[in-house]
Amino acid sequence: MLGDRWSLLIIRDMMLLGRRTFKEFLSSYERPASNILADRLRRLKAYGIIRAKRDRSDGRKLIYLLTPKGMDLAPVLTEMVLWAGKHEKTENRPLIRLMQKDKEKFLAQIRQRWAQNKISPPSQ
Amino acid sequence: MLGDRWSLLIIRDMMLLGRRTFKEFLSSYERPASNILADRLRRLKAYGIIRAKRDRSDGRKLIYLLTPKGMDLAPVLTEMVLWAGKHEKTENRPLIRLMQKDKEKFLAQIRQRWAQNKISPPSQ
DNA sequence: TTTTTCACTTGCATTTTGCAAGTTGGTTGT
DNA sequence: ACAACCAACTTGCAAAATGCAAGTGAAAAA
């Protein structure tokens, strides 16, 4: 389900960077092609990992959100980011330091932010 | 580095199931093609995630081992297996129960087993 | 010495990915 | 009301990755 180049990156962008719309995913660091992005969003939806709803204030926009199943990937993503932070060059060091400092607290914060629909990227 | 169908499965087989040789990886549950498997092993080696050494007692065999960098993926793999166990149909329920029971203990056991080169699959 | 086994490689068909250029439908500006 | 615009896709096609089946060469077993 997640064994391709883009799925986990999309989920990371949603969970950790607060991305929510097609356009936002398109302009992510790794820049997926629009047709592939559309396909991956479709698949993640079919798997029950994300869902989409119309934007109340702009009927063109679709807001993509993680389902509970998708949110349960938070520990996976966290461990992957920590691993990459330890062994590879990465940007967003502050985020990594936050994770390292207290992993459980970080996960709790992410879940809480999500529950409130305050989907902004984590800040110190 | 890990964003393809096979890399994480190979690492899972090494770390959790004690697989070590080309032939053993070939006969894994998901059955990679031999050329792809060869390519993935080459890449994982180039990334410093695995290494290979000749078998002392059988000069045809190569024994693939995780490097420290590869072993550091243990938390990632554990979280992925737990996620899959919660949300998808999986075999090897006993392994999952072991992980759930005490995650840290499980990880410590894996690391220890690896340090001793006792690379057999975790039991009960 | 012949046959197996092991870790690959090779050639080729199929599938997936990626790029660039649309299309559709809602929105904004005049 | 109408044009220009924007967001989320789709389409056509080239390029790359994947998969299958059948080798190959070196080492071990019979």
Side-chain angles (χ1 to χ4, degrees), chain B residues 75-113:
Chain B
V76 175
L77 270 289
T78 301
E79 294 296 351
M80 287 188 94
V81 171
L82 285 172
W83 181 83
K86 180 170 179 184
H87 293 285
E88 303 294 323
K89 299 220 182 316
T90 54
E91 5 56 71
N92 214 345
R93 286 257 148 227
L95 182 66
I96 294 176
R97 253 176 277 120
L98 203 62
M99 288 176 170
Q100 285 170 333
K101 201 176 169 188
D102 189 339
K103 211 189 287 184
E104 287 311 319
K105 188 177 162 197
F106 178 83
L107 286 171
Q109 281 176 354
I110 279 203
R111 289 189 191 105
Q112 196 193 357
R113 218 186 328 268

Tab-separated table of all heavy atoms in Angstrom, chain B residues 75-113:
chain	number	residue	atom	x	y	z
B	75	PRO	N	13.125	0.531	14.632
B	75	PRO	CA	11.889	1.177	15.100
B	75	PRO	C	10.913	1.469	13.962
B	75	PRO	O	9.693	1.343	14.132
B	75	PRO	CB	12.397	2.486	15.720
B	75	PRO	CG	13.817	2.226	16.076
B	75	PRO	CD	14.328	1.300	15.011
B	76	VAL	N	11.428	1.846	12.813
B	76	VAL	CA	10.560	2.103	11.659
B	76	VAL	C	9.800	0.834	11.287
B	76	VAL	O	8.565	0.835	11.162
B	76	VAL	CB	11.378	2.585	10.441
B	76	VAL	CG1	10.471	2.727	9.230
B	76	VAL	CG2	12.092	3.893	10.751
B	77	LEU	N	10.549	-0.247	11.119
B	77	LEU	CA	9.920	-1.517	10.734
B	77	LEU	C	8.914	-1.972	11.774
B	77	LEU	O	7.810	-2.428	11.447
B	77	LEU	CB	10.999	-2.595	10.571
B	77	LEU	CG	11.611	-2.763	9.193
B	77	LEU	CD1	10.606	-3.393	8.244
B	77	LEU	CD2	12.103	-1.459	8.609
B	78	THR	N	9.280	-1.827	13.041
B	78	THR	CA	8.377	-2.232	14.115
B	78	THR	C	7.064	-1.455	14.036
B	78	THR	O	5.978	-2.035	14.093
B	78	THR	CB	9.047	-1.993	15.480
B	78	THR	OG1	10.257	-2.753	15.536
B	78	THR	CG2	8.138	-2.418	16.619
B	79	GLU	N	7.180	-0.148	13.878
B	79	GLU	CA	5.956	0.665	13.807
B	79	GLU	C	5.125	0.314	12.577
B	79	GLU	O	3.894	0.315	12.627
B	79	GLU	CB	6.296	2.158	13.805
B	79	GLU	CG	6.936	2.673	15.101
B	79	GLU	CD	6.006	2.579	16.318
B	79	GLU	OE1	4.814	2.278	16.144
B	79	GLU	OE2	6.500	2.785	17.444
B	80	MET	N	5.798	0.018	11.475
B	80	MET	CA	5.051	-0.351	10.271
B	80	MET	C	4.313	-1.668	10.472
B	80	MET	O	3.151	-1.813	10.079
B	80	MET	CB	5.991	-0.463	9.067
B	80	MET	CG	6.472	0.876	8.557
B	80	MET	SD	7.384	0.736	7.002
B	80	MET	CE	6.057	1.046	5.829
B	81	VAL	N	4.992	-2.622	11.071
B	81	VAL	CA	4.361	-3.922	11.304
B	81	VAL	C	3.183	-3.774	12.262
B	81	VAL	O	2.115	-4.356	12.064
B	81	VAL	CB	5.391	-4.935	11.842
B	81	VAL	CG1	4.699	-6.215	12.304
B	81	VAL	CG2	6.424	-5.261	10.768
B	82	LEU	N	3.366	-2.943	13.294
B	82	LEU	CA	2.266	-2.717	14.236
B	82	LEU	C	1.083	-2.047	13.539
B	82	LEU	O	-0.074	-2.404	13.762
B	82	LEU	CB	2.754	-1.853	15.414
B	82	LEU	CG	3.625	-2.576	16.436
B	82	LEU	CD1	4.208	-1.588	17.451
B	82	LEU	CD2	2.817	-3.655	17.163
B	83	TRP	N	1.390	-1.082	12.694
B	83	TRP	CA	0.318	-0.403	11.949
B	83	TRP	C	-0.442	-1.383	11.069
B	83	TRP	O	-1.676	-1.427	11.067
B	83	TRP	CB	0.912	0.734	11.106
B	83	TRP	CG	-0.119	1.498	10.333
B	83	TRP	CD1	-0.895	2.512	10.795
B	83	TRP	CD2	-0.481	1.297	8.953
B	83	TRP	NE1	-1.727	2.964	9.791
B	83	TRP	CE2	-1.493	2.238	8.658
B	83	TRP	CE3	-0.051	0.424	7.963
B	83	TRP	CZ2	-2.076	2.321	7.392
B	83	TRP	CZ3	-0.631	0.495	6.709
B	83	TRP	CH2	-1.633	1.440	6.436
B	84	ALA	N	0.322	-2.169	10.318
B	84	ALA	CA	-0.312	-3.154	9.439
B	84	ALA	C	-1.125	-4.152	10.253
B	84	ALA	O	-2.228	-4.542	9.864
B	84	ALA	CB	0.748	-3.871	8.615
B	85	GLY	N	-0.587	-4.534	11.395
B	85	GLY	CA	-1.286	-5.485	12.259
B	85	GLY	C	-2.613	-4.934	12.753
B	85	GLY	O	-3.587	-5.666	12.910
B	86	LYS	N	-2.643	-3.627	12.968
B	86	LYS	CA	-3.870	-3.012	13.468
B	86	LYS	C	-4.902	-2.823	12.353
B	86	LYS	O	-6.103	-2.983	12.575
B	86	LYS	CB	-3.542	-1.662	14.098
B	86	LYS	CG	-4.755	-0.925	14.655
B	86	LYS	CD	-4.339	0.286	15.483
B	86	LYS	CE	-5.563	1.043	16.013
B	86	LYS	NZ	-5.177	2.278	16.736
B	87	HIS	N	-4.412	-2.475	11.153
B	87	HIS	CA	-5.356	-2.041	10.122
B	87	HIS	C	-5.509	-2.976	8.931
B	87	HIS	O	-6.391	-2.762	8.103
B	87	HIS	CB	-4.942	-0.658	9.610
B	87	HIS	CG	-5.087	0.419	10.636
B	87	HIS	ND1	-6.299	0.939	11.004
B	87	HIS	CD2	-4.169	1.065	11.398
B	87	HIS	CE1	-6.125	1.864	11.931
B	87	HIS	NE2	-4.841	1.966	12.196
B	88	GLU	N	-4.646	-3.946	8.800
B	88	GLU	CA	-4.747	-4.838	7.638
B	88	GLU	C	-4.702	-6.293	8.081
B	88	GLU	O	-4.258	-6.597	9.175
B	88	GLU	CB	-3.580	-4.571	6.674
B	88	GLU	CG	-3.484	-3.138	6.189
B	88	GLU	CD	-4.670	-2.726	5.321
B	88	GLU	OE1	-5.156	-3.572	4.552
B	88	GLU	OE2	-5.110	-1.567	5.435
B	89	LYS	N	-5.137	-7.155	7.186
B	89	LYS	CA	-4.976	-8.591	7.436
B	89	LYS	C	-3.484	-8.915	7.337
B	89	LYS	O	-2.823	-8.549	6.374
B	89	LYS	CB	-5.726	-9.416	6.389
B	89	LYS	CG	-7.228	-9.176	6.362
B	89	LYS	CD	-8.000	-10.471	6.160
B	89	LYS	CE	-9.503	-10.157	6.090
B	89	LYS	NZ	-9.961	-9.187	7.126
B	90	THR	N	-2.966	-9.602	8.336
B	90	THR	CA	-1.552	-10.000	8.276
B	90	THR	C	-1.404	-11.408	8.820
B	90	THR	O	-2.199	-11.856	9.642
B	90	THR	CB	-0.652	-9.080	9.133
B	90	THR	OG1	-1.178	-9.046	10.460
B	90	THR	CG2	-0.612	-7.685	8.588
B	91	GLU	N	-0.390	-12.101	8.353
B	91	GLU	CA	-0.005	-13.348	9.010
B	91	GLU	C	0.994	-12.972	10.103
B	91	GLU	O	1.267	-11.801	10.318
B	91	GLU	CB	0.629	-14.355	8.055
B	91	GLU	CG	0.887	-13.917	6.650
B	91	GLU	CD	1.737	-12.677	6.544
B	91	GLU	OE1	2.948	-12.780	6.833
B	91	GLU	OE2	1.215	-11.596	6.196
B	92	ASN	N	1.523	-13.947	10.731
B	92	ASN	CA	2.497	-13.764	11.816
B	92	ASN	C	1.968	-12.892	12.949
B	92	ASN	O	2.653	-11.998	13.438
B	92	ASN	CB	3.813	-13.194	11.262
B	92	ASN	CG	5.014	-13.736	12.051
B	92	ASN	OD1	4.834	-14.284	13.143
B	92	ASN	ND2	6.197	-13.584	11.515
B	93	ARG	N	0.738	-13.184	13.350
B	93	ARG	CA	0.148	-12.516	14.515
B	93	ARG	C	1.001	-12.633	15.779
B	93	ARG	O	1.107	-11.673	16.549
B	93	ARG	CB	-1.241	-13.086	14.792
B	93	ARG	CG	-2.292	-12.629	13.810
B	93	ARG	CD	-3.181	-11.540	14.408
B	93	ARG	NE	-3.619	-10.629	13.348
B	93	ARG	CZ	-3.569	-9.312	13.440
B	93	ARG	NH1	-3.094	-8.735	14.533
B	93	ARG	NH2	-3.975	-8.556	12.456
B	94	PRO	N	1.621	-13.800	16.028
B	94	PRO	CA	2.410	-13.932	17.259
B	94	PRO	C	3.493	-12.853	17.359
B	94	PRO	O	3.689	-12.253	18.411
B	94	PRO	CB	3.047	-15.320	17.119
B	94	PRO	CG	2.135	-16.071	16.214
B	94	PRO	CD	1.576	-15.062	15.265
B	95	LEU	N	4.161	-12.600	16.243
B	95	LEU	CA	5.196	-11.571	16.220
B	95	LEU	C	4.617	-10.218	16.609
B	95	LEU	O	5.199	-9.467	17.404
B	95	LEU	CB	5.816	-11.496	14.819
B	95	LEU	CG	6.949	-10.489	14.632
B	95	LEU	CD1	8.165	-10.884	15.437
B	95	LEU	CD2	7.322	-10.355	13.159
B	96	ILE	N	3.445	-9.923	16.052
B	96	ILE	CA	2.808	-8.640	16.350
B	96	ILE	C	2.441	-8.528	17.823
B	96	ILE	O	2.663	-7.488	18.452
B	96	ILE	CB	1.555	-8.462	15.456
B	96	ILE	CG1	2.002	-8.335	13.999
B	96	ILE	CG2	0.754	-7.258	15.889
B	96	ILE	CD1	0.872	-8.241	13.016
B	97	ARG	N	1.927	-9.631	18.374
B	97	ARG	CA	1.572	-9.596	19.789
B	97	ARG	C	2.789	-9.345	20.667
B	97	ARG	O	2.744	-8.602	21.642
B	97	ARG	CB	0.855	-10.893	20.190
B	97	ARG	CG	-0.641	-10.659	20.423
B	97	ARG	CD	-1.394	-11.933	20.719
B	97	ARG	NE	-1.757	-12.650	19.486
B	97	ARG	CZ	-1.365	-13.876	19.194
B	97	ARG	NH1	-0.586	-14.552	20.033
B	97	ARG	NH2	-1.753	-14.451	18.065
B	98	LEU	N	3.896	-9.956	20.244
B	98	LEU	CA	5.165	-9.751	20.957
B	98	LEU	C	5.578	-8.287	20.939
B	98	LEU	O	6.027	-7.726	21.936
B	98	LEU	CB	6.234	-10.610	20.269
B	98	LEU	CG	7.460	-11.005	21.079
B	98	LEU	CD1	7.046	-11.852	22.279
B	98	LEU	CD2	8.438	-11.780	20.202
B	99	MET	N	5.403	-7.662	19.791
B	99	MET	CA	5.761	-6.247	19.659
B	99	MET	C	4.868	-5.362	20.518
B	99	MET	O	5.330	-4.437	21.176
B	99	MET	CB	5.602	-5.795	18.212
B	99	MET	CG	6.646	-6.321	17.267
B	99	MET	SD	6.238	-5.802	15.582
B	99	MET	CE	7.742	-6.266	14.719
B	100	GLN	N	3.560	-5.665	20.482
B	100	GLN	CA	2.599	-4.851	21.225
B	100	GLN	C	2.861	-4.914	22.715
B	100	GLN	O	2.788	-3.913	23.428
B	100	GLN	CB	1.176	-5.359	20.957
B	100	GLN	CG	0.630	-4.985	19.587
B	100	GLN	CD	-0.664	-5.706	19.283
B	100	GLN	OE1	-0.915	-6.798	19.798
B	100	GLN	NE2	-1.477	-5.108	18.430
B	101	LYS	N	3.175	-6.114	23.156
B	101	LYS	CA	3.313	-6.376	24.596
B	101	LYS	C	4.338	-5.435	25.223
B	101	LYS	O	4.079	-4.820	26.247
B	101	LYS	CB	3.724	-7.835	24.809
B	101	LYS	CG	3.421	-8.351	26.202
B	101	LYS	CD	3.780	-9.836	26.303
B	101	LYS	CE	3.732	-10.310	27.753
B	101	LYS	NZ	4.269	-11.679	27.876
B	102	ASP	N	5.494	-5.352	24.618
B	102	ASP	CA	6.518	-4.433	25.114
B	102	ASP	C	7.461	-4.058	23.987
B	102	ASP	O	8.410	-4.762	23.668
B	102	ASP	CB	7.293	-5.062	26.274
B	102	ASP	CG	8.217	-4.053	26.941
B	102	ASP	OD1	8.562	-3.039	26.295
B	102	ASP	OD2	8.581	-4.272	28.103
B	103	LYS	N	7.162	-2.914	23.411
B	103	LYS	CA	7.878	-2.471	22.212
B	103	LYS	C	9.382	-2.349	22.474
B	103	LYS	O	10.194	-2.840	21.705
B	103	LYS	CB	7.303	-1.114	21.773
B	103	LYS	CG	7.341	-0.877	20.294
B	103	LYS	CD	6.951	0.562	19.984
B	103	LYS	CE	5.467	0.816	20.171
B	103	LYS	NZ	5.095	2.211	19.776
B	104	GLU	N	9.715	-1.677	23.578
B	104	GLU	CA	11.134	-1.438	23.872
B	104	GLU	C	11.886	-2.736	24.107
B	104	GLU	O	13.011	-2.907	23.633
B	104	GLU	CB	11.280	-0.512	25.081
B	104	GLU	CG	10.925	0.938	24.793
B	104	GLU	CD	11.601	1.479	23.521
B	104	GLU	OE1	12.794	1.178	23.292
B	104	GLU	OE2	10.932	2.170	22.718
B	105	LYS	N	11.231	-3.624	24.802
B	105	LYS	CA	11.842	-4.927	25.071
B	105	LYS	C	12.079	-5.673	23.758
B	105	LYS	O	13.137	-6.263	23.541
B	105	LYS	CB	10.930	-5.738	25.993
B	105	LYS	CG	11.542	-7.032	26.506
B	105	LYS	CD	10.573	-7.732	27.467
B	105	LYS	CE	10.937	-9.200	27.658
B	105	LYS	NZ	9.818	-9.963	28.244
B	106	PHE	N	11.093	-5.595	22.906
B	106	PHE	CA	11.208	-6.260	21.605
B	106	PHE	C	12.397	-5.710	20.822
B	106	PHE	O	13.213	-6.463	20.284
B	106	PHE	CB	9.919	-6.067	20.813
B	106	PHE	CG	9.963	-6.670	19.444
B	106	PHE	CD1	9.698	-8.021	19.270
B	106	PHE	CD2	10.286	-5.896	18.337
B	106	PHE	CE1	9.749	-8.592	18.003
B	106	PHE	CE2	10.342	-6.468	17.070
B	106	PHE	CZ	10.072	-7.819	16.912
B	107	LEU	N	12.505	-4.392	20.784
B	107	LEU	CA	13.605	-3.769	20.052
B	107	LEU	C	14.954	-4.147	20.669
B	107	LEU	O	15.916	-4.444	19.950
B	107	LEU	CB	13.436	-2.240	20.054
B	107	LEU	CG	12.329	-1.728	19.120
B	107	LEU	CD1	12.078	-0.242	19.351
B	107	LEU	CD2	12.711	-1.975	17.667
B	108	ALA	N	15.009	-4.155	21.995
B	108	ALA	CA	16.246	-4.535	22.678
B	108	ALA	C	16.639	-5.961	22.302
B	108	ALA	O	17.806	-6.242	22.020
B	108	ALA	CB	16.069	-4.407	24.185
B	109	GLN	N	15.636	-6.843	22.257
B	109	GLN	CA	15.910	-8.238	21.895
B	109	GLN	C	16.475	-8.357	20.487
B	109	GLN	O	17.431	-9.079	20.238
B	109	GLN	CB	14.629	-9.071	21.992
B	109	GLN	CG	14.279	-9.464	23.423
B	109	GLN	CD	12.953	-10.193	23.490
B	109	GLN	OE1	12.235	-10.307	22.492
B	109	GLN	NE2	12.618	-10.681	24.682
B	110	ILE	N	15.868	-7.627	19.569
B	110	ILE	CA	16.332	-7.679	18.183
B	110	ILE	C	17.775	-7.205	18.085
B	110	ILE	O	18.605	-7.827	17.438
B	110	ILE	CB	15.416	-6.813	17.286
B	110	ILE	CG1	14.161	-7.599	16.929
B	110	ILE	CG2	16.153	-6.396	16.027
B	110	ILE	CD1	13.487	-7.126	15.682
B	111	ARG	N	18.057	-6.093	18.751
B	111	ARG	CA	19.421	-5.560	18.703
B	111	ARG	C	20.417	-6.538	19.306
B	111	ARG	O	21.497	-6.739	18.773
B	111	ARG	CB	19.482	-4.222	19.446
B	111	ARG	CG	18.770	-3.113	18.695
B	111	ARG	CD	19.006	-1.746	19.305
B	111	ARG	NE	18.098	-0.771	18.697
B	111	ARG	CZ	17.007	-0.280	19.304
B	111	ARG	NH1	16.698	-0.646	20.533
B	111	ARG	NH2	16.242	0.606	18.679
B	112	GLN	N	19.997	-7.144	20.392
B	112	GLN	CA	20.889	-8.088	21.059
B	112	GLN	C	21.157	-9.304	20.172
B	112	GLN	O	22.291	-9.718	19.978
B	112	GLN	CB	20.255	-8.537	22.373
B	112	GLN	CG	21.261	-9.203	23.315
B	112	GLN	CD	20.558	-9.913	24.457
B	112	GLN	OE1	19.328	-9.861	24.576
B	112	GLN	NE2	21.331	-10.591	25.288
B	113	ARG	N	20.067	-9.831	19.620
B	113	ARG	CA	20.211	-10.986	18.742
B	113	ARG	C	21.170	-10.657	17.613
B	113	ARG	O	21.993	-11.455	17.218
B	113	ARG	CB	18.851	-11.375	18.177
B	113	ARG	CG	18.650	-12.865	18.071
B	113	ARG	CD	17.343	-13.185	17.373
B	113	ARG	NE	16.313	-12.187	17.620
B	113	ARG	CZ	15.434	-12.273	18.622
B	113	ARG	NH1	15.430	-13.289	19.442
B	113	ARG	NH2	14.526	-11.329	18.773
